[in-house]
């Protein structure tokens, strides 16, 4: 019987966000796979837990992943943690989950702190439909092509960004989406200096001219306005009725069909086409 992989979120700034279930899962796991064992050791000390730790991060996942899978297949239970937030969301974990899925190992994600959802919720921008874009590439060509793909995006977009790259990213976003596009800069979420700045990209650029960005950021960007629906007029309905009648349809049926297809009021279209009906008699 194989063991299980637990994806265990950790606080993005406030230790008070450690839930009972997070504590229990860490306490019960046979071993913990951590992005940075030094960071996770501090957390375990805070919780008064002593647990075997293995390293699983960006640059060793190809070797470390299969080793973890072997242990899970042998019946052990592993809790995967990253430095902060939900594992597998823009940090190591994605590949390990895929390996476990392939090997038929059960993966259980514990709900908890996650920067993207916290920022989206507080952004003040539409949350009904959104797209998570993670970090933009530092490679100029890939970054440009990524932004180009998003040019007409109507959903709210969420980006992660490091403070020292924030100004360049704001400039690139303004280039692509225009300086008037609204953005919410969600800084130091759940920490003492949490700050949510809701402004336009142009205003954000000006704001950071006088003070360097500090702390961790999530950028929530307004989507493009949806293209306006072409206005349907009664004249268009009249034209459609005329066409249907020329194809042999009776006046009443033509009005019914045209009104339904174009979303026009049947009575108004009937009145407006009485003349055509008389002509064709
Ligand atoms: N897996 C994590 C999660 O789901 O929250 C995200 C990990 S990613 C490597 C780190 C990025 O998350 C940071 O660069 C920043 O954009 C964002 N982030 C993490 N903690 C944050 C916080 N307290 N306030 C604002 N952004 C934060």
């Amino acid at each position: 019987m194989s063991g299980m992989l637990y994806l265990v979120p950790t606080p993005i700034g406030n230790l008070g966000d450690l839930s009972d279930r997070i504590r229990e899962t860490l306490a019960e796991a046979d071993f913990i796979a951590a992005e940075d064992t030094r960071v996770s050791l501090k957390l375990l000390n805070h919780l008064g837990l002593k647990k075997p730790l293995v390293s699983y991060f960006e640059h060793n996942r190809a070797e470390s992943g299969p080793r973890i899978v072997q242990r899970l297949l042998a019946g052990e239970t592993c809790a995967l943690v990253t430095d902060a937030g939900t594992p597998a969301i823009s940090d190591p974990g994605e590949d390990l989950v895929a390996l476990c899925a392939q090997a038929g190992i059960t993966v259980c994600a514990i709900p908890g702190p996650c920067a993207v959802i916290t920022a989206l919720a507080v952004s003040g921008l539409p949350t009904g439909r959104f797209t998570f874009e993670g970090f933009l590439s530092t490679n100029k060509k890939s970054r440009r092509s990524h932004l180009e793909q998003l040019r007409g995006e109507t959903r709210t977009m969420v980006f992660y960004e490091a403070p020292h790259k924030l100004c360049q990213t704001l400039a690139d976003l303004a280039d692509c989406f225009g300086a008037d596009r609204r953005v919410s800069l969600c800084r130091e979420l759940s920490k003492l200096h949490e700050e949510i700045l809701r402004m336009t990209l142009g205003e954000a650029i000006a704001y950071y001219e006088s003070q360097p960005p500090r702390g961790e950021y999530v950028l929530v960007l307004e989507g493009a306005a949806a293209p306006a629906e072409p206005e349907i007029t009664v004249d268009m309905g009249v034209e459609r009725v005329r066409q249907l009648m020329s194809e042999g349809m009776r006046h009443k049926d033509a009005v019914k069909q045209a009104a339904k297809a174009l979303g026009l009021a049947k009575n108004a279209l009937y009145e407006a086409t009485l003349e055509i009906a008389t002509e064709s008699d």
Side-chain angles (χ1 to χ4, degrees):
M1 172 88 175
S2 68
M4 261 176 83
L5 176 70
Y6 286 93
L7 305 177
V8 181
T10 53
I12 56 171
N14 190 326
L15 286 173
D17 293 333
L18 280 166
S19 69
D20 289 347
R21 193 160 174 229
I22 290 173
R23 289 166 198 264
E24 281 158 21
T25 309
L26 290 173
E28 283 166 21
D30 291 313
F31 70 101
I32 291 171
E35 180 180 13
D36 184 334
T37 50
R38 290 161 304 182
V39 172
S40 300
L41 191 59
K42 279 191 201 150
L43 183 75
L44 292 177
N45 286 341
H46 169 79
L47 295 172
L49 296 173
K50 269 198 169 39
K51 285 279 157 182
L53 280 162
V54 300
S55 154
Y56 179 81
F57 73 114
E58 183 63 28
H59 301 292
N60 78 350
R61 57 181 164 178
E63 308 84 51
S64 180
R67 281 202 293 266
I68 294 171
V69 167
Q70 282 312 315
R71 291 181 68 171
L72 295 174
L73 287 172
E76 288 189 87
T77 297
C78 172
L80 175 69
V81 293
T82 53
D83 292 351
T86 298
I89 305 300
S90 279
D91 62 20
E94 185 181 346
D95 289 356
L96 188 57
V97 175
L99 280 181
C100 288
Q102 258 171 18
I105 296 165
T106 308
V107 180
C108 173
I110 311 284
C114 184
V116 46
I117 296 300
T118 311
L120 180 69
V122 77
S123 67
L125 291 169
T127 60
R129 299 188 69 200
F130 71 95
T131 148
F132 175 55
E133 300 300 322
F135 290 98
L136 285 171
S137 171
T138 45
N139 172 287
K140 270 194 184 166
K141 204 168 151 214
S142 329
R143 170 180 274 250
R144 206 174 311 125
S145 121
H146 185 165
L147 290 176
E148 211 40 60
Q149 285 169 30
L150 292 174
R151 195 179 278 279
E153 179 58 69
T154 53
R155 292 170 292 183
T156 298
M157 292 161 268
V158 186
F159 300 88
Y160 280 166
E161 196 47 286
H164 62 284
K165 296 187 195 142
L166 185 82
C167 290
Q168 183 59 55
T169 293
L170 290 173
D172 291 345
L173 292 176
D175 256 6
C176 182
F177 302 102
D180 290 338
R181 185 67 70 87
R182 289 191 297 158
V183 66
S184 295
L185 299 108
C186 306
R187 190 174 83 83
E188 296 287 82
L189 291 164
S190 79
K191 301 185 192 177
L192 187 63
H193 299 292
E194 172 170 317
E195 178 182 51
I196 314 297
L197 297 171
R198 301 180 183 92
M199 41 179 64
T200 64
L201 285 168
E203 286 164 348
I205 292 169
Y207 181 85
Y208 285 112
E209 270 165 13
S210 57
Q211 52 197 308
R214 285 218 182 90
E216 297 199 89
Y217 284 85
V218 180
L219 303 179
V220 186
L221 186 68
E222 179 184 35
E229 295 275 332
E231 200 199 334
I232 308 284
T233 61
V234 174
D235 282 351
M236 288 157 92
V238 171
E239 228 11 77
R240 183 71 189 128
V241 170
R242 193 192 299 281
Q243 193 189 340
L244 290 170
M245 287 180 67
S246 74
E247 290 164 10
M249 198 177 275
R250 289 187 324 145
H251 177 226
K252 212 170 150 195
D253 294 336
V255 167
K256 197 171 160 193
Q257 183 170 320
K260 189 168 178 211
L262 298 173
L264 292 168
K266 211 164 56 182
N267 288 349
L269 191 56
Y270 188 84
E271 290 287 323
T273 50
L274 273 177
E275 219 171 283
I276 313 174
T278 326
E279 279 168 21
S280 72
D281 281 340

